[in-house]
């Protein structure tokens, strides 16, 4: 007994100009890149240009003292900036830049960023 599949895994009616089937292009200019410490008590967000645009502080973070808090914010700001550079690499690759052009900007890869995050926190988050 054979039965017809209820759905087709392969969409043969795909039309990139059709609004219903077209995949939206990422809005690179409005993207933000956030990094939180493992305790989720401090977080920093950067925009596409690597500028800090947001800061999250929990009540517990404020109780740890000014020196600790300043060091934690700087550590996370550095990582958030690097994460925005990974996003810039992705944007350039998406837009068709040649690999040697992307590499000339010395932008970190996703793997490089993850290694830096693991070195900083001891775990991947």
């Amino acid at each position: 007994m054979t039965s017809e599949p209820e759905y087709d895994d392969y969409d043969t009616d795909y039309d990139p100009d059709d609004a219903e089937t077209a995949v939206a292009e990422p809005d690179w200019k409005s993207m933000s890149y956030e990094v939180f410490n493992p305790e989720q008590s401090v977080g920093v967000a950067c925009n596409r240009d690597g500028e800090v645009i947001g800061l999250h502080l929990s009540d517990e973070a404020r109780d740890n003292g000014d020196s600790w808090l300043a060091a934690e914010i700087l550590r996370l700001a550095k990582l958030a900036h690097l994460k925005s550079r990974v996003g810039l690499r992705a944007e350039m690759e998406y837009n068709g830049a040649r690999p040697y052009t992307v590499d000339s900007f010395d932008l970190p890869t996703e793997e490089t960023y993850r290694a830096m995050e693991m070195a900083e926190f001891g775990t991947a988050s």
Side-chain angles (χ1 to χ4, degrees):
M1 178 156 114
T2 61
S3 63
E4 292 294 317
E6 294 181 20
Y7 61 91
D8 187 4
D9 286 340
Y10 302 100
D11 184 6
T12 57
D13 298 327
Y14 175 75
D15 179 8
D17 296 325
D18 182 12
E20 290 182 20
T21 61
V23 177
E25 183 173 329
D27 185 8
W28 301 105
K29 292 180 181 176
S30 68
M31 285 192 175
S32 64
Y33 303 91
E34 301 174 339
V35 178
F36 285 82
N37 64 354
E39 298 82 26
Q40 301 290 309
S41 60
V42 180
V44 175
C46 282
N47 66 8
R48 164 183 189 244
D49 296 327
E51 298 170 344
V52 173
I53 58 170
L55 181 63
H56 164 81
L57 300 174
S58 71
D59 291 337
E60 296 83 29
R62 294 184 198 120
D63 295 339
N64 287 327
D66 293 343
S67 297
W68 177 88
L69 186 56
E72 193 71 359
I73 291 170
L74 289 175
R75 178 168 80 142
L76 294 172
K78 179 182 84 171
L79 287 171
H81 176 78
L82 288 171
K83 198 172 195 179
S84 75
R85 304 284 290 165
V86 172
L88 180 57
R89 175 186 268 288
E91 179 181 353
M92 290 178 73
E93 290 171 347
Y94 180 87
N95 289 330
R98 303 262 185 207
Y100 58 84
T101 302
V102 175
D103 290 340
S104 72
F105 285 89
D106 198 28
L107 299 171
T109 63
E110 181 74 29
E111 294 79 25
T112 304
Y113 171 77
R114 290 287 171 213
M116 289 179 197
E117 191 176 75
M118 285 183 68
E120 199 66 44
F121 297 134
T123 60
S125 58

